[in-house]
Amino acid sequence: MSTEYETPIVSVDIVLLTLKEGQLYTALALRDKEPFAGQWALPGGYIHTNEDQDDVDAAARILLAKAGLKSPYYEQLRTFAGRHRDPRGWSVSIAHYALVPFEQLAHVEHDHLKWVPVDSLRGLPFDHLAILQTAVSRVRSKTLYSSLPLYLMPETFTLTELQKVYEGVLGATLDKHGFRRRIKELDVLVEVPGAVSTGTGHRPAQQYRLKRKVNLATADSNLGLKAPA
Amino acid sequence: MSTEYETPIVSVDIVLLTLKEGQLYTALALRDKEPFAGQWALPGGYIHTNEDQDDVDAAARILLAKAGLKSPYYEQLRTFAGRHRDPRGWSVSIAHYALVPFEQLAHVEHDHLKWVPVDSLRGLPFDHLAILQTAVSRVRSKTLYSSLPLYLMPETFTLTELQKVYEGVLGATLDKHGFRRRIKELDVLVEVPGAVSTGTGHRPAQQYRLKRKVNLATADSNLGLKAPA
DNA sequence: TTAATAGTGTCTGTCAGACACTATGTG
DNA sequence: CACATAGTGTCTGACAGACACTATTAA
């Protein structure tokens, strides 16, 4: 009990997700240090004990530094800890995931950051593939019973666009009427006065935006879509 | 980026739960070191990087050392991290929860460990009250759609006893027929040949035990009880 | 008028909650 | 036989999935 033990390495890794062309994409950062220098991995970094108040703070700071953006939604995923996940030794990674609308990051791709479809990914350094898969599975399962995908939407959008995003996240198609019934029950959207279409060759759709003062984190957990077959 | 930062303190804390007299109880350990020496807190300790393979290993070792028992069920709860939760400075607690049948721990109460009802608890050192509440809420919500409370049962038990345990965890009453329908759907129990009652003054009940080779962790997530009103 | 999507009405099978009923032991 | 709990049959309202229908714009 009184022996001193080597301290584990503590870092924060982030699974940053977006929806692009109907598919979930994750951000990968080019590692500039050992181990795995020159390889693509989940963006991550050490906790700065002098500036970060907590782990979410650290995640936000790291994302801003590595990707130059602020995500509207962060959540702790889980912690991956053990002796063998990092060649430097016993390590702890407090993994987080974040969602960001594709429109908001069209400009952030640069030499040290790239976007790849989550489903086509095979190998990643450390246990980052397991972390990514855990995040994707969490997001998909939350999508079944919450309004999480709203964080992937731009300022205003139509219900059909929202449905496409849900379908993209889930990788399944949903019934239109049932989908609208549930979104309405959530009661987190308001109509935007000006309907929009202008030249689509068909009936224009109502635009919606998030209700002001709605905290989606608490408004979650009442959607109840059924898992796809 | 190249600056060195102070390393956060990393520990593992455990919410050990059992059901006693129809109520959820948690184990508290008497702290023998600063900070908060002499106060009751969740059992916890440092990671031993030379012997623990991962965080679950550490949790099992700590529980064995502090309470002298092995729990049939461990799961990582979430990680509590930040600057202000521990007076020693920036700290990380990888919190776990564990379930153990009351019968298995009748003998483990001693000077440095005590059992208290979770709902009557007010103050605890660090952020241990928040950790405890998170664990209880997790267990209650998992109980609604999984077979988690089976970890609180002795070797053999009747369906009525199992229902009482579910009701104790949830703090609500359940319909007998509906409860049995769902347990049957889970398909994780088998009848024990000898029915038992011997002197109860009424019809004896069938005893059940867990099916062999059933991993409850994977058999979970299909119960579907409705949240109490 | 047609094409194309927006938006709504309605049927039906499933299933959870409620509750009543039968079964089987003890005293 | 009375009593207490074990165990089951069945009704019903809510609701999700399916699908058909109407509405509204552009060309």
Side-chain angles (χ1 to χ4, degrees), chain A residues 16-27 69-72 98-109 113-117 149-155 165 169:
Chain A
L16 176 61
L17 298 170
T18 192
L19 197 79
K20 177 179 168 182
E21 293 152 13
Q23 285 224 305
L24 271 180
Y25 277 65
T26 187
L69 58 80
K70 293 184 183 187
S71 164
L99 303 178
V100 65
F102 179 59
E103 292 76 9
Q104 195 175 317
L105 50 80
H107 62 289
V108 303
E109 185 146 357
L113 195 83
K114 71 172 181 183
W115 295 90
V116 297
L150 284 173
Y151 292 106
L152 294 169
M153 304 307 291
E155 263 305 297
V165 169
V169 171

Side-chain angles (χ1 to χ4, degrees), chain A residues 119-200:
Chain A
D119 287 321
S120 69
L121 219 40
R122 290 296 170 266
L124 281 179
F126 309 103
D127 53 357
H128 283 190
L129 188 57
I131 296 177
L132 173 65
Q133 285 166 345
T134 305
V136 169
S137 140
R138 171 82 62 91
V139 168
R140 289 200 168 125
S141 103
K142 273 208 156 192
T143 294
L144 292 174
Y145 61 87
S146 86
S147 54
L148 200 59
L150 284 173
Y151 292 106
L152 294 169
M153 304 307 291
E155 263 305 297
T156 70
F157 49 86
T158 68
L159 293 181
T160 299
E161 286 163 358
L162 182 61
Q163 184 176 343
K164 294 282 181 227
V165 169
Y166 269 79
E167 292 178 340
V169 171
L170 293 174
T173 57
L174 300 170
D175 176 75
K176 181 164 64 166
H177 194 41
F179 179 75
R180 285 166 186 236
R181 253 196 308 229
R182 291 192 187 88
I183 294 297
K184 182 157 284 179
E185 279 167 15
L186 284 180
D187 194 35
V188 292
L189 299 183
V190 285
E191 304 182 359
V192 177
V196 178
S197 66
T198 53
T200 51

Side-chain angles (χ1 to χ4, degrees), chain B residues 22 30 57 62 92 105 175 183 215 225:
Chain B
L30 190 60
D57 254 29
I62 289 166
V92 172
L105 49 79
D175 175 75
I183 294 297
N215 181 354
L225 297 169

